[in-house]
Amino acid sequence: MLAATSGSENYIALDQPIDIDVELVRAVADGDRKAFERLFRLYHSRIYKFSIRMLQDHLSADEVACDTLYAVWTSASKFREQSTVSSWILGIAYRRSLKSYNKNARHTENREPTYQMEELVESSPSVNPETYTNNAMEVGQMQKALSTLSSNHRAVMELIALGYSVTEIATIVGCPENTVKTRTFHARRQLRIALQD
């Protein structure tokens, strides 16, 4: 079933699902500030969560999130719709996170931990305090183990944790799927060793 839009030559298939994110990027490419504000609200938190896990620094992660979304604003017209909007945006965030990581790597040993244990582990009145403490300790050990990985290996593991598929991760980090699988294999092996220690 087809429906006419503004002109008789423009038709939209009504039985096709409309990708809201793609529509927002198209509107941003046309200079629509309201669409950009909506895209900003949808993606700032996701980008920040990804970047904070990579960078372990609140200010750097927030800077990456803002820089990434500014890049979306200025280059929305370059989005070719060959991947999902999420993969495109996180690809930009990945490259900016790597750049920030490499620029600030020599200063990371003096940083304070980025998370409070309470923020990492859900707490509710029904949670047993011993279970809460054990979970918080496990999260701390996992964060420490993740910090031993190279930036490429860590990025793959963080994207897996965020629920991205191998195909999506390959698009985000800009490498073949087999490279993602290899990085995942090596990262898991390194994590096992680090967690055993």
Side-chain angles (χ1 to χ4, degrees):
M1 181 175 183
L2 297 175
T5 58
S6 58
S8 59
E9 69 283 349
N10 295 326
Y11 288 90
I12 297 174
L14 295 180
D15 56 350
Q16 295 292 323
I18 296 173
D19 187 334
I20 299 299
D21 288 359
V22 170
E23 293 300 320
L24 286 173
V25 172
R26 288 175 184 164
V28 169
D30 290 335
D32 185 332
R33 289 183 182 274
K34 293 229 182 273
F36 177 71
E37 288 171 14
R38 187 165 174 203
L39 204 62
F40 189 97
R41 284 193 302 276
L42 283 170
Y43 280 94
H44 185 274
S45 174
R46 284 191 236 181
I47 298 165
Y48 176 83
K49 286 177 184 174
F50 170 71
S51 296
I52 191 73
R53 294 174 76 154
M54 289 257 323
L55 301 172
Q56 298 292 298
D57 180 70
H58 289 293
L59 291 175
S60 297
D62 191 50
E63 186 177 319
V64 164
C66 291
D67 285 352
T68 298
L69 288 162
Y70 179 74
V72 169
W73 171 254
T74 59
S75 62
S77 62
K78 295 178 184 172
F79 178 58
R80 298 290 173 237
E81 301 182 26
Q82 295 173 342
S83 66
T84 64
V85 170
S86 174
S87 295
W88 177 63
I89 291 175
L90 272 181
I92 297 168
Y94 167 73
R95 290 185 295 281
R96 291 183 184 263
S97 293
L98 273 184
K99 186 176 178 181
S100 177
Y101 179 85
N102 291 332
K103 183 174 97 176
N104 299 314
R106 63 181 168 271
H107 305 295
T108 56
E109 66 277 357
N110 298 323
R111 290 187 183 154
E112 294 179 21
T114 53
Y115 303 108
Q116 297 298 322
M117 287 168 70
E118 296 82 24
E119 293 175 6
L120 289 168
V121 182
E122 273 193 47
S123 179
S124 72
S126 62
V127 172
N128 177 322
E130 185 178 342
T131 302
Y132 176 81
T133 303
N134 287 339
N135 288 344
M137 288 174 63
E138 287 176 11
V139 167
Q141 290 169 343
M142 181 57 79
Q143 284 296 320
K144 188 175 179 181
L146 281 168
S147 71
T148 67
L149 298 177
S150 72
S151 55
N152 285 329
H153 288 161
R154 183 175 182 139
V156 168
M157 295 309 292
E158 298 294 358
L159 289 165
I160 288 170
L162 291 170
Y164 286 90
S165 70
V166 168
T167 303
E168 291 170 320
I169 294 169
T171 301
I172 291 167
V173 302
C175 68
E177 289 183 29
N178 284 337
T179 303
V180 172
K181 292 175 185 175
T182 302
R183 288 179 184 175
T184 304
F185 171 79
H186 289 296
R188 286 182 173 154
R189 189 178 65 183
Q190 287 175 265
L191 285 175
R192 272 195 299 273
I193 293 166
L195 290 169
Q196 285 171 356
D197 293 343

